[in-house]
Amino acid sequence: MKRRVFAIFLALAMMMAIFMTGCGSESSDEGASNEKLKVALVVNQKFGDKASMDDLAKGADKAAEDFDVEIKKLESAEASKYEEDIRAMAEEGYDLIVTTFGYMTDATKLVAAEYPDTKFAAVFQTVNDGETTVDNIWDTEFHGEAAFYLGGYIAGKLTKTNHIGMIVGAEEPTPNAEGNGFMLGVKAANPDAVVEFSYVGSYEDPAKAKEVTSAMISKGCDIIQTDSGASNAGVVEACKDAGILCAGEITDYYDTYEGFYGIEGIGFGDTCYKAIEAIINGEFPGGEHGIRDLTNGGYFMDWDAFTRFADGNSEYGDTMKAAIEEAKELEAQIIDGSLEVPFDTEVPSWKRIKAQ
């Protein structure tokens, strides 16, 4: 009898051990599947710019909130450090590394080759160009000519001197296309206008931007459109000093100057968010090159900002409200394909655009 009881006890103990081992294994697997996705932003400009870097961070922070993702933000301000900083994040086991702009492309490609299991989102870069395909990199370029066409149209309606200025950060294909798109919009709204154009030479030099803006104002410009990152602050300051109107990209300066009348939004943050979401859903588009524009959230018109100005400014309110309605109709035509704004990367020239 004792032997029989002992045998039964032993069998029960073994069954319990097997059960507990199974539970432990299940718990371990579940813990592994619940590990947070780790995302590192390695950027070539400073956060706190109230422009592209802050927008990128905003998109990452939204993904952290929505998907419980771990985010690390690293400024890699020196070109000599790009490769080292990107590699450091790969070595630390980050699942997705986001890098910014063409300056970081070579370093991104090099580290991506060393860490094929790590995914990379190369923002505003060209890697997968048809001849070259890198399976663990999704690269995106941005085409803002259509959004700035709408901005140009509104500027053409607002100007009283028929003299408008457009300032961009540096001579690059997309900013050039945005300048040309802006001029086409001005021409469509007001062919009698003249558009001055200038580069700051940097996306992080407000003092130089203010100097460039002041020179445009001295020529009679009463509307300035800026597209120059952190340098936008200098443009707004010069416009405030002169009491003329201005608009910008990404950042809202209305709390600084009530003559700031609108924003063309750029979806850097949206791109970061979508890269994270794609990994969460098992749909990361590695090996693909994406074009982000007005039709897919790469750019957008912040109509609330334009409407806020219209509601708060008695001098320009009615003109702005009418311009908004017309611009929204043009936006719908761009989105449905009936109005095409060319990606013209030549150096912007009002003389050339007006002659077209």
Side-chain angles (χ1 to χ4, degrees):
M1 178 65 71
K2 289 182 179 180
R3 289 180 179 177
R4 184 178 301 173
V5 170
F6 178 76
I8 293 172
F9 177 78
L10 183 60
L12 288 172
M14 291 176 65
M15 290 175 63
M16 183 63 71
I18 293 171
F19 176 75
M20 291 301 294
T21 300
C23 288
S25 175
E26 183 178 344
S27 175
S28 176
D29 291 344
E30 185 178 334
S33 66
N34 285 340
E35 286 185 5
K36 287 186 177 182
L37 186 76
K38 296 176 62 177
V39 179
L41 309 187
V42 186
V43 302
N44 70 311
Q45 295 177 17
K46 294 179 181 179
F47 293 109
D49 62 351
K50 298 183 70 176
S52 53
M53 297 301 102
D54 283 356
D55 191 65
L56 195 73
K58 182 179 178 181
D61 289 341
K62 185 176 188 302
E65 182 179 339
D66 290 352
F67 306 122
D68 193 25
V69 172
E70 178 183 332
I71 303 293
K72 182 181 180 71
K73 300 164 188 171
L74 176 64
E75 294 173 356
S76 185
E78 298 179 20
S80 61
K81 293 293 187 73
Y82 294 165
E83 182 183 325
E84 177 184 334
D85 290 339
I86 296 169
R87 184 178 291 108
M89 295 301 96
E91 289 176 351
E92 288 183 26
Y94 281 86
D95 304 291
L96 171 67
I97 300 174
V98 181
T99 65
T100 54
F101 307 153
Y103 314 105
M104 302 190 86
T105 297
D106 289 343
T108 301
K109 289 165 63 176
L110 183 63
V111 179
E114 296 173 3
Y115 293 86
D117 294 330
T118 302
K119 294 177 173 60
F120 295 80
V123 177
F124 220 143
Q125 300 176 57
T126 299
V127 176
N128 299 299
D129 58 5
E131 297 180 1
T132 301
T133 300
V134 182
D135 291 340
N136 57 332
I137 298 179
W138 175 45
D139 58 294
T140 53
E141 65 177 289
F142 289 71
H143 287 192
E145 63 278 2
F148 281 88
Y149 176 94
L150 300 176
Y153 187 90
I154 291 172
K157 291 293 184 179
L158 289 180
T159 182
K160 294 182 178 181
T161 66
N162 283 343
H163 215 139
I164 299 165
M166 170 72 172
I167 297 172
V168 304
E171 184 177 349
E172 297 173 308
T174 290
N176 281 354
E178 290 168 351
N180 286 315
F182 181 83
M183 290 181 181
L184 286 170
V186 171
K187 179 183 174 183
N190 184 356
D192 294 328
V194 173
V195 180
E196 303 284 345
F197 179 83
S198 186
Y199 301 107
V200 177
S202 170
Y203 292 95
E204 300 179 278
D205 193 344
K208 178 65 180 297
K210 183 175 182 179
E211 187 180 309
V212 171
T213 306
S214 297
M216 283 189 175
I217 293 170
S218 70
K219 293 180 180 181
C221 293
D222 66 338
I223 304 282
I224 302 287
Q225 169 73 55
T226 182
D227 180 19
S228 56
S231 297
N232 288 341
V235 177
V236 175
E237 187 176 344
C239 291
K240 182 179 180 179
D241 290 346
I244 72 165
L245 302 184
C246 59
E249 104 282 11
I250 303 178
T251 308
D252 191 356
Y253 285 94
Y254 189 73
D255 60 344
T256 301
Y257 176 43
E258 292 182 355
F260 183 82
Y261 66 81
I263 305 164
E264 289 86 5
I266 306 179
F268 291 122
D270 180 72
T271 302
C272 183
Y273 183 94
K274 281 185 167 54
I276 295 169
E277 183 179 40
I279 293 177
I280 296 292
N281 294 333
E283 300 171 348
F284 184 74
E288 296 181 14
H289 176 71
I291 294 178
R292 311 226 62 217
D293 57 23
L294 189 68
T295 67
N296 59 19
Y299 285 77
F300 61 93
M301 298 300 289
D302 188 340
W303 293 121
D304 288 343
F306 290 94
T307 300
R308 176 188 59 196
F309 174 82
D311 291 341
N313 190 290
S314 58
E315 182 180 356
Y316 289 92
D318 291 341
T319 302
M320 174 62 94
K321 288 175 183 177
I324 289 171
E325 291 309 309
E326 293 170 18
K328 284 183 175 180
E329 292 177 7
L330 294 171
E331 179 184 41
Q333 294 173 27
I334 291 169
I335 291 173
D336 70 22
S338 58
L339 173 60
E340 294 185 15
V341 182
F343 185 65
D344 176 1
T345 60
E346 287 191 42
V347 172
S349 163
W350 176 247
K351 182 178 179 180
R352 178 174 64 85
I353 293 295
K354 190 169 183 179
Q356 292 180 359

